[in-house]
Amino acid sequence: MFRKVLLNASRVSRVSCARVLSLPSSQNRAFSTEARRKRMDEVFDRVDVNKDGVISREEFLQAYGEPGTSSLVREIIDESGWPTCQVETSASDIIKAMSNSSVGWVVVTSSAKDLSDIQGIVTEKDIVMKALNSKMDMSTLEAKHFMTPRDKLITVCASNSVWEVTKIFIKKNIRAAPVMDDGKLIGFVSVRDAVAQLAEDHSAEMDSLSAYVNGSY
């Protein structure tokens, strides 16, 4: 039977689904190719609730709703620094800061001296949308006029598991999130880093799933 795992959740489906679709390599060798294929067929059929030969993102999250990795966000935080501005910084100055830093976002802080006191975030999209919908001069528009305020940001904690954060990325369709600790910004975590960590945590299982999906056994 033709089977596949939908990749609208990027590589996450391949990586995380693999943790139950295969046995540890030492145990795998004790089973014949036919036995492994049969076992994986049985588990695939259990996860494929709609019985259409496809594991959708929804079916995947339903089956693996619990954290699937012991790695924590604190292990993959990017603490290398981030571009900042203040709430009264003009849109034109923010654009310059983005250009100088080669990034598409800027953290808005209450003070230039405390880079962890986040008030919001401004993205390239925020500026473009505001410019299209405003008749004001870009030099007079300030960050507070178009930033996403702190209370509306999707944030995570350093103590969250990588798997919990990956589910947030999938459900909210975002690529990165601020990491908070005691109300302070301590860094960022990206979906790229989360997926890379999941791949490292489950490298053997990922190989088995890849072989299963591609029909290697």
Side-chain angles (χ1 to χ4, degrees):
M1 178 187 295
F2 175 74
R3 291 179 170 84
K4 66 177 180 177
V5 178
L6 284 186
L7 299 182
N8 58 339
S10 189
R11 289 191 297 157
V12 179
S13 292
R14 289 181 179 271
V15 173
S16 300
C17 189
R19 63 190 171 87
V20 296
L21 289 183
S22 63
L23 295 169
S25 57
S26 60
Q27 291 178 282
N28 246 343
R29 289 191 291 269
F31 288 79
S32 67
T33 298
E34 184 61 32
R36 292 199 305 272
R37 184 186 298 116
K38 181 179 179 181
R39 179 178 183 277
M40 297 180 80
D41 278 345
E42 290 173 350
V43 179
F44 193 104
D45 289 339
R46 177 178 61 81
V47 177
D48 181 19
V49 177
N50 293 330
K51 305 305 178 188
D52 56 2
V54 174
I55 295 179
S56 67
R57 180 174 62 178
E58 290 72 23
E59 289 171 328
F60 170 71
L61 291 176
Q62 180 181 349
Y64 307 111
E66 296 301 319
T69 175
S70 59
S71 295
L72 302 179
V73 169
R74 64 169 56 95
E75 300 171 38
I76 60 171
I77 296 176
D78 181 358
E79 300 174 318
S80 59
W82 45 85
T84 64
C85 69
Q86 282 66 62
V87 292
E88 65 276 4
T89 302
S90 69
S92 56
D93 285 340
I94 292 175
I95 293 174
K96 292 177 182 178
M98 289 182 181
S99 177
N100 292 336
S101 302
S102 299
V103 297
W105 50 271
V106 171
V107 175
V108 184
T109 63
S110 59
S111 169
K113 296 181 180 180
D114 187 358
L115 303 185
S116 65
D117 186 18
I118 183 172
Q119 299 299 304
I121 289 180
V122 173
T123 66
E124 290 176 333
K125 182 179 178 180
D126 293 330
I127 295 178
V128 170
M129 295 304 295
K130 189 65 176 181
L132 291 175
N133 295 306
S134 175
K135 296 181 180 180
M136 296 176 64
D137 189 320
M138 291 296 286
S139 62
T140 62
L141 281 174
E142 299 180 345
K144 62 186 177 184
H145 295 140
F146 51 85
M147 71 180 187
T148 300
R150 175 172 175 166
D151 60 353
K152 293 185 178 180
L153 290 175
I154 299 172
T155 63
V156 299
C157 300
S159 59
N160 286 142
S161 75
V162 173
W163 174 231
E164 288 173 323
V165 171
T166 301
K167 290 196 295 181
I168 292 174
F169 286 145
I170 294 173
K171 289 182 177 180
K172 300 297 184 179
N173 194 29
I174 58 176
R175 295 178 296 175
V179 182
M180 308 296 291
D181 186 28
D182 291 332
K184 295 292 186 178
L185 175 66
I186 61 173
F188 287 82
V189 61
S190 69
V191 65
R192 179 181 60 187
D193 292 335
V195 169
Q197 185 61 48
L198 287 173
E200 181 178 336
D201 289 343
H202 302 291
S203 58
E205 290 88 345
M206 182 176 65
D207 290 342
S208 294
L209 180 61
S210 179
Y212 175 69
V213 172
N214 293 314
S216 298
Y217 67 82

